[in-house]
Amino acid sequence: LDYCPVYRLNYRYINGDRVEGTDCTNESNTKVVSTFESFGVESRCLASNHVVAENVEIPLCMESRCNEEDNVVEILFGDTVRSCEYDGQQIQVPDVPGLFLTCPRLA
């Protein structure tokens, strides 16, 4: 995924406490905010509207990949795959009404 412009979060807030060192690519990471997050070598931190303490929106760790053939970033939710077709596109998280991820820049 070196050619995918995504970012990584080095800290996050869990239950109102700042937790250092959250790395989406570390599969042994147990600092999960949401049950639908995924940690591992194919996971990246994506902006979301997930709100935690003091109405702060935080990014989420999600399994994703670049599809060079279609020129899209694909976000995996178990067996469900959603494609980012343009920069900033909002992708709804399946089975979680009102929760969206923001697609990264494609170029």
Side-chain angles (χ1 to χ4, degrees):
L1 289 177
D2 290 339
Y3 44 87
C4 281
V6 294
Y7 59 91
R8 182 182 70 162
L9 184 67
N10 291 320
Y11 69 89
R12 61 170 34 176
Y13 289 90
I14 298 177
N15 298 324
D17 298 322
R18 182 176 165 142
V19 176
E20 302 290 336
T22 302
D23 180 353
C24 292
T25 62
N26 182 351
E27 60 190 27
S28 66
N29 197 328
T30 58
K31 299 171 186 146
V32 179
V33 171
S34 305
T35 57
F36 45 80
E37 278 191 288
S38 176
F39 290 86
V41 295
E42 299 298 323
S43 293
R44 297 294 182 269
C45 196
L46 298 174
S48 79
N49 67 336
H50 187 66
V51 176
V52 293
E54 300 178 13
N55 295 323
V56 175
E57 291 183 350
I58 63 165
L60 297 171
C61 293
M62 304 299 298
E63 186 175 355
S64 59
R65 63 185 178 214
C66 289
N67 180 327
E68 290 183 277
E69 184 176 316
D70 294 334
N71 195 35
V72 297
V73 173
E74 296 176 333
I75 304 171
L76 290 72
F77 304 93
D79 293 334
T80 302
V81 178
R82 300 281 168 91
S83 295
C84 293
E85 298 173 1
Y86 55 90
D87 299 351
Q89 179 181 351
Q90 300 291 298
I91 301 287
Q92 180 159 354
V93 176
D95 303 320
V96 186
L99 182 58
F100 293 89
L101 299 172
T102 302
C103 292
R105 282 187 42 220
L106 298 176

